[in-house]
């Protein structure tokens, strides 16, 4: 939603600048500063998170307990499902 809004605003501003300056070229040249500024902001201000453990990035999350099954049942298989897989093989 934000990207669509940004694109629409950019087109309106480019149109207004093109009418004022008589050409679309200078308007596009001025508007290219926004994406370049955003790229520089991400490159130099945001921290690098590659090769960093998730627990280091968000230490407030509790660690899962190995003796308790997950509440969604993910990773837990019943004997019936093991028998069904074995029958398929």
């Amino acid at each position: 939603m934000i990207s669509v809004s940004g694109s629409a605003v950019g087109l309106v501003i480019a149109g207004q600048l093109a009418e004022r300056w008589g050409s679309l070229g200078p308007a596009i040249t001025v508007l290219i500063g926004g994406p370049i500024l955003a790229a520089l902001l991400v490159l130099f201000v945001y921290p690098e998170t590659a090769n960093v453990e998730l627990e280091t990035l968000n230490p407030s999350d509790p660690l899962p307990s190995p003796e308790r099954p997950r509440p969604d049942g993910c990773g837990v298989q019943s004997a019936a499902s093991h028998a069904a897989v074995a029958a398929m093989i």
Side-chain angles (χ1 to χ4, degrees):
M1 183 70 173
I2 292 174
S3 62
V4 173
S5 301
S7 297
V9 169
L11 287 173
V12 169
I13 292 172
Q16 290 177 350
L17 291 175
E19 284 182 7
R20 180 177 295 172
W21 292 334
S23 177
L24 190 59
I28 298 296
T29 302
V30 168
L31 290 177
I32 198 155
I36 290 174
L37 181 65
L40 291 173
L41 177 78
V42 169
L43 187 63
F44 292 112
V45 176
Y46 281 78
E48 176 61 52
T49 57
N51 300 320
V52 177
E53 294 291 327
L54 293 177
E55 289 79 14
T56 305
L57 294 174
N58 193 5
S60 64
D61 282 349
L63 294 174
S65 175
E67 61 272 353
R68 282 190 316 179
R70 290 176 39 177
D72 61 358
C74 184
V76 178
Q77 293 184 346
S78 66
S81 64
H82 282 292
V85 170
M88 293 169 53
I89 298 177

